[in-house]
Amino acid sequence: TGYLGSALVPALEEHGHRLLLPEREEVTHGRYLASGPPKPIIHLAADPHGDWRANVFGTANVLNWCPPLSRFIFASTLNAFGPTDKYDQEKQVAESIIISRYDVTSVILRLGLVYGPGPLSKRGALNKVIRQAAAGETLTIAPRTSGKRDFVFIDDVVRAFVMALDAPPGIY
């Protein structure tokens, strides 16, 4: 699991959920399908550098694995609303695929850039700026097209996913 998964897994286990944690390659190629789907299905796997196979086909593979009437929770991006790069566009297409699956209860969480402590917190734009500030270095952050960034703390994201377990279908 990645940064988000490493924080989310303990919270889900605490709530008594059985977890299946396929690797990104397994999701992309659908190799995990024989083991049967857990309920709910939370799909976090993605390639932030823009890989159609992981971000679109991987999502379709996981969604096709969902039995009717199951709950599907998807980690998307705030920028799926107005895509500015390939990754955002891929997440937007993935959302469209999810929404078209009428027999699955889907909850889509559009996340900003997640930051905070944890075993993989060395990655991420805001974590980099925090490390630079702590070291007395010049602060650098690569702006998106608008020059603006939206950040969300890891604990808030974990709480959002836990709440999504019982949330009505929709995009949040």
Side-chain angles (χ1 to χ4, degrees), residues 46-57 59 74 76-77 79-95 144-145:
D47 183 340
H49 304 294
D51 177 354
W52 190 267
R53 290 171 304 156
N55 298 331
V56 176
F57 294 140
T59 300
F74 180 65
S76 191
T77 175
N79 294 324
F81 182 71
T84 59
D85 63 22
K86 185 177 177 186
Y87 174 74
D88 301 340
Q89 292 167 352
E90 291 164 358
K91 285 292 195 173
Q92 186 181 57
V93 170
E95 285 187 11
R144 299 208 45 136
T145 307

Side-chain angles (χ1 to χ4, degrees), residues 66-124:
C66 293
L69 306 178
S70 60
R71 177 169 286 269
F72 186 81
I73 303 170
F74 180 65
S76 191
T77 175
L78 270 175
N79 294 324
F81 182 71
T84 59
D85 63 22
K86 185 177 177 186
Y87 174 74
D88 301 340
Q89 292 167 352
E90 291 164 358
K91 285 292 195 173
Q92 186 181 57
V93 170
E95 285 187 11
S96 297
I97 293 169
I98 294 164
I99 292 166
S100 72
R101 184 72 193 268
Y102 65 90
D103 63 339
V104 171
T105 300
S106 56
V107 176
I108 297 170
L109 299 178
R110 288 184 172 166
L111 308 174
L113 294 172
V114 181
Y115 75 96
L120 300 175
S121 64
K122 293 183 180 179
R123 297 174 22 201

Side-chain angles (χ1 to χ4, degrees), residues 115-116 125-135 139:
Y115 75 96
L126 188 57
N127 288 333
K128 176 182 173 186
V129 170
I130 291 169
R131 284 193 314 279
Q132 289 173 333
L139 306 183

